[in-house]
Structure formats: C-alpha cells, structure tokens
Amino acid sequence: MKRRLWRIFHPMPPHPAGWARELYAQLRALDQQGLDGLLIEAPPSGADWQAVSDRLTRAASAHTAFRF
C-alpha cells in the first residue's frame, strides 16, 4: 500500500495552557483524517510543560514513538 506524506506546520502558542489546547484540537482534527502517522516536535522541558509532555506520551503509547 502506498502511503501519502503530508507536511503540516502549525505554530503553537508559547505558553503551556495554549499549547495544550491547540495540541488537543490538532490531534482530534488529524485523527479524523486517518493518517498513517504524525511527527510532533516535543514541547519545551520544565515543570510547567509536564502535563503537555504527559499527554503526548499517552497519545503515542499505542504507537511507535521516536525522539529526534
């Protein structure tokens, strides 16, 4: 089966609460497209960003995850 590759750049807000809101919205929208995979840049590190990192980890747990 031939796979399609799309490159989508979506700028994220600079603060954790906004980043989380956009992350959830984008994950829902992308999930509806039936994509084979996603590459997501990790959020900044730090205590303020822990909830966002946890959400990404949980979303990727059922899939193969790579760190770049």
Side-chain angles (χ1 to χ4, degrees):
M1 171 174 30
K2 188 173 185 176
R3 294 182 180 210
R4 298 176 298 160
L5 177 63
W6 292 79
R7 183 175 180 203
I8 301 169
F9 175 76
H10 185 83
M12 300 297 273
H15 48 85
W19 214 97
R21 265 192 310 279
E22 277 299 309
L23 173 65
Y24 302 146
Q26 292 302 315
L27 287 177
R28 282 191 300 274
L30 292 169
D31 187 47
Q32 293 176 356
Q33 294 182 28
L35 301 175
D36 292 325
L38 298 172
L39 294 176
I40 300 174
E41 182 178 357
S45 60
D48 291 347
W49 292 90
Q50 188 60 46
V52 175
S53 294
D54 288 346
R55 177 62 181 102
L56 281 173
T57 300
R58 283 185 276 124
S61 66
H63 308 283
T64 301
F66 300 97
R67 292 200 180 264
F68 296 97

